[in-house]
């Protein structure tokens, strides 16, 4: 079902079976196959300096923080509270310093601005505090268009198809529905050749069949429908196969994002994306409400399955509470977990030099009992052979106690405070800032005018 006459006409014109009265579309197999032939297998993203930063589809996984959360765990008090625009700015500054993140997303939806313009304010905070490519998820065309305009301003009016600085996530409504706002935003993004992640989010037994296989089939149909629409709007438009799997607790009436079944489906989704030769996007999540052991194991397992499955984009670092709450400390902890798992996935680097047979023979022949002073050792001390922690505790007990006996959450908190106190990102020129503010003001004025009609 597609609630957009514009898109229905586009589909009808290109050979789909359309029942306009019911808003119902049936996609012929040959239409799907034709669309898949045009979708790029790789997507290159740029930073604000027009430098290529990320290439999706070449076998490398990228971590992104979470997005659109209305609540935050206060850094000072630890209390669950509404998120503010200042939080969006602070998250962006912290992310700008963490090497785990090559892209960034609006971690929060500020609650101290006009609600309809919340995402625009969050995007402004991102664009003003980091040059990394932007990942964002609008509800529809009305919010997507001004964000596209903001990206053009930041890139000096450059063609976004030549220097894509953002990925737009858009979602169908399960079961098998495209609302007018998201699907028209999908067409607009495809026309501009802005990379889109088509993210299906079904709930088994509620908005999808109560089996993993049935959920997988329906999710696949929803994503494929979006892929076809993008290629009809613009052949060769860059698209990402997205999946944000959930399960549904029938006893509690609650969607779950970190169950073992969601991890299984993450792997299955990656296999489907590989089959279609399309970059893949999935999530890491926790259903816990606090920074506890459950959050740690749920994040670790979901990250490991997604990373091991070869996902190109893994989104939701720093998020817990089934996507509703974000934490500065958890953002840093997730970055630490990611760096550990990434190091494991890389495996052992084999070469004649690394195998070091000659060095072993030399040490044995001269009767030395260690390798400490060998040139082979000294040359490799800073080559990344061994993982280096950011916040993990590795010192002696005595040293740990002397430094205050901080646990990992407190270490993460101290790291965030340090960044916010001493780090100042490269700011946009005042003229560009003014243009971004004007785009938001124009949007807010249109919203206010609609109230009086």
């Amino acid at each position: 079902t597609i609630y957009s006459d514009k898109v229905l006409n586009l589909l009808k014109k290109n050979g789909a079976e359309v029942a306009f009265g019911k808003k119902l579309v049936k996609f012929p197999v040959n239409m799907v196959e034709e669309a898949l032939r045009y979708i790029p297998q790789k997507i290159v993203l740029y930073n604000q300096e027009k430098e290529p930063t990320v290439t999706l589809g070449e076998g490398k996984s990228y971590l992104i923080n979470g997005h659109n959360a209305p609540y935050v765990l206060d850094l000072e008090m630890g209390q669950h509270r509404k998120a503010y625009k200042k939080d969006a700015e602070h998250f962006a500054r912290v992310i700008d310093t963490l090497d785990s993140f090559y892209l960034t997303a609006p971690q929060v939806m500020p609650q101290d601005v006009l609600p309809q313009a919340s995402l625009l304010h969050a995007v402004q905070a991102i664009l003003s505090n980091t040059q990394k490519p932007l990942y964002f998820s609008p509800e529809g065309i009305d919010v997507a268009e001004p964000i596209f305009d903001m990206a053009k301003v930041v890139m000096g009016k450059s063609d976004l198809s030549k220097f894509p600085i953002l990925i737009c996530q858009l979602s169908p409504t399960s079961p098998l529905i495209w609302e007018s706002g998201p699907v028209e935003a999908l067409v607009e993004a495809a026309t501009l050749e802005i990379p889109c992640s088509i993210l299906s989010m079904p709930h088994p037994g509620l908005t999808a069949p109560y089996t993993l296989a049935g959920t997988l089939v329906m999710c696949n149909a929803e994503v494929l429908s979006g892929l076809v629409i993008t290629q009809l709007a613009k052949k060769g438009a860059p698209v990402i196969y997205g999946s944000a799997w959930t399960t549904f607790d029938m006893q509690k009436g609650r969607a779950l994002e970190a169950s073992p079944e969601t991890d299984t489906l993450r792997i299955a989704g990656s296999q489907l994306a590989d089959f279609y030769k399309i970059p893949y996007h999935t999530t890491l999540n926790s259903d816990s409400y606090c920074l506890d052991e459950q959050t740690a194991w749920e994040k670790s397992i979901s990250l490991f399955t997604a990373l091991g499955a070869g996902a190109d984009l893994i989104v939701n670092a720093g998020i817990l509470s089934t996507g509703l709450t974000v934490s500065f400390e958890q953002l840093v902890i997730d970055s630490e977990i990611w760096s550990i798992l990434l190091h494991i996935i890389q495996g052992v680097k084999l070469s004649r030099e690394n195998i070091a047979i000659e060095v072993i023979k030399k040490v044995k022949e001269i009767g030395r009992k260690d390798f400490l002073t060998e040139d082979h050792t000294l040359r490799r001390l800073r080559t990344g052979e061994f993982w280096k922690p950011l916040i993990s505790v590795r010192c002696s007990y005595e040293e740990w106690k002397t430094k205050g006996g901080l646990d990992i959450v407190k270490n993460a908190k101290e790291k965030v405070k340090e960044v916010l106190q001493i780090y100042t990102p490269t700011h946009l020129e005042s003229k560009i800032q003014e243009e971004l503010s004007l785009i938001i003001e124009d949007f807010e004025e249109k919203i206010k005018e609609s109230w009086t009609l």
Side-chain angles (χ1 to χ4, degrees):
T1 306
I2 299 178
Y3 292 103
S4 167
D5 289 339
K6 176 182 178 180
V7 177
L8 289 175
N9 286 321
L10 176 67
L11 290 163
K12 178 68 175 177
K13 178 183 176 182
N14 285 276
E17 184 180 331
V18 180
F20 285 92
K22 295 181 179 179
K23 309 289 186 182
L24 189 64
V25 178
K26 293 183 180 180
F27 294 82
V29 173
N30 67 306
M31 178 180 283
V32 179
E33 293 174 340
E34 178 74 7
L36 290 170
R37 279 196 284 269
Y38 289 102
I39 296 174
Q41 296 182 22
K42 294 184 179 181
I43 299 172
V44 179
L45 299 170
Y46 292 76
N47 62 19
Q48 291 180 17
E49 297 295 325
K50 300 181 181 178
E51 300 166 334
T53 303
V54 168
T55 301
L56 308 179
E58 64 174 6
K60 183 176 180 179
S61 298
Y62 295 92
L63 180 66
I64 310 179
N65 58 296
H67 57 98
N68 295 29
Y71 302 104
V72 64
L73 293 182
D74 188 84
L75 183 62
E76 295 294 338
M77 306 301 295
Q79 295 176 339
H80 181 271
R81 62 166 173 79
K82 291 180 179 179
Y84 306 128
K85 187 170 183 177
K86 199 69 176 176
D87 295 314
E89 296 171 358
H90 286 171
F91 272 110
R93 287 172 59 191
V94 174
I95 290 163
D96 200 46
T97 68
L98 295 174
D99 293 338
S100 295
F101 299 99
Y102 286 78
L103 306 92
T104 185
Q107 191 94 51
V108 299
M109 291 285 276
Q111 305 295 297
D112 55 342
V113 297
L114 187 70
Q116 293 88 339
S118 183
L119 184 57
L120 273 65
H121 284 278
V123 167
Q124 182 185 34
I126 292 288
L127 296 175
S128 302
N129 287 279
T130 178
Q131 295 192 348
K132 295 180 180 182
L134 168 71
Y135 184 99
F136 76 106
S137 176
E139 291 186 358
I141 185 67
D142 57 333
V143 175
E145 284 186 320
I147 292 176
F148 296 158
D149 292 339
M150 293 168 77
K152 292 175 185 176
V153 168
V154 169
M155 297 303 284
K157 310 297 183 180
S158 296
D159 187 346
L160 292 181
S161 67
K162 294 181 180 179
F163 298 103
I165 191 181
L166 70 170
I167 296 175
C168 180
Q169 174 197 304
L170 293 161
S171 297
T173 302
S174 300
L176 301 171
I177 297 169
W178 275 104
E179 305 290 350
S180 61
V183 77
E184 290 181 5
L186 186 65
V187 169
E188 179 65 15
T191 302
L192 295 172
E193 297 185 65
I194 293 171
C196 277
S197 176
I198 302 171
L199 192 76
S200 175
M201 298 183 287
H203 303 315
L206 183 65
T207 59
Y210 192 67
T211 58
L212 297 189
T215 299
L216 186 65
V217 167
M218 201 190 73
C219 175
N220 192 51
E222 291 181 343
V223 173
L224 288 178
S225 71
L227 298 179
V228 172
I229 290 168
T230 63
Q231 300 312 299
L232 295 180
K234 181 77 172 184
K235 287 182 179 179
V239 193
I240 301 164
Y241 189 112
S243 63
W245 309 103
T246 66
T247 54
F248 193 77
D249 188 327
M250 292 293 186
Q251 292 180 317
K252 303 292 184 181
R254 183 168 179 264
L256 302 173
E257 296 186 348
S259 65
E261 295 79 15
T262 60
D263 293 320
T264 302
L265 288 172
R266 282 185 183 92
I267 299 170
S270 182
Q271 292 171 338
L272 282 169
D274 285 345
F275 176 77
Y276 297 125
K277 296 181 174 58
I278 302 171
Y280 178 57
H281 154 216
T282 191
T283 58
L284 70 139
N285 295 291
S286 174
D287 296 313
S288 176
Y289 295 101
C290 58
L291 308 182
D292 62 358
E293 291 82 358
Q294 179 182 337
T295 299
W297 77 58
E298 287 179 343
K299 288 299 190 82
S300 297
I301 293 170
S302 60
L303 250 183
F304 193 67
T305 53
L307 186 57
D312 295 274
L313 291 175
I314 307 172
V315 183
N316 276 355
I319 275 192
L320 55 155
S321 183
T322 318
L324 295 176
T325 306
V326 291
S327 158
F328 287 96
E329 297 94 329
Q330 190 61 49
L331 179 72
V332 178
I333 293 170
D334 286 344
S335 175
E336 187 93 331
I337 295 171
W338 167 264
S339 67
I340 295 170
L341 297 178
L342 196 62
H343 199 79
I344 294 170
I345 290 290
Q346 289 173 351
V348 178
K349 301 171 184 176
L350 296 177
S351 68
R352 184 178 181 87
E353 183 73 9
N354 284 347
I355 292 171
I357 294 295
E358 290 79 6
V359 182
I360 295 171
K361 287 180 179 179
K362 174 187 173 184
V363 170
K364 183 64 177 177
E365 287 171 357
I366 64 178
R368 188 179 294 160
K369 296 182 179 180
D370 62 71
F371 292 78
L372 286 172
T373 58
E374 285 298 316
D375 288 342
H376 185 274
T377 300
L378 299 175
R379 288 198 307 268
R380 281 161 178 75
L381 290 178
R382 294 178 177 84
T383 60
E385 183 76 17
F386 293 91
W387 176 76
K388 299 293 185 183
L390 181 65
I391 56 172
S392 296
V393 176
R394 283 188 156 187
C395 58
S396 68
Y397 176 79
E398 290 75 17
E399 184 181 351
W400 175 70
K401 287 292 290 183
T402 301
K403 291 181 177 180
L406 302 181
D407 61 26
I408 199 69
V409 176
K410 291 177 181 176
N411 279 346
K413 179 181 291 188
E414 292 304 311
K415 181 62 182 177
V416 172
K417 287 182 176 180
E418 177 187 339
V419 169
L420 296 180
Q421 287 173 0
I422 68 174
Y423 178 69
T424 301
T426 302
H427 288 290
L428 294 174
E429 296 178 8
S430 57
K431 182 180 179 181
I432 294 176
Q433 286 281 19
E434 290 172 6
E435 289 188 62
L436 296 183
S437 296
L438 284 174
I439 290 172
I440 296 175
E441 290 173 12
D442 289 345
F443 178 83
E444 291 178 332
E445 283 300 317
K446 291 177 183 177
I447 294 295
K448 292 174 182 177
E449 287 174 7
S450 69
W451 294 347
T452 61
L453 296 178

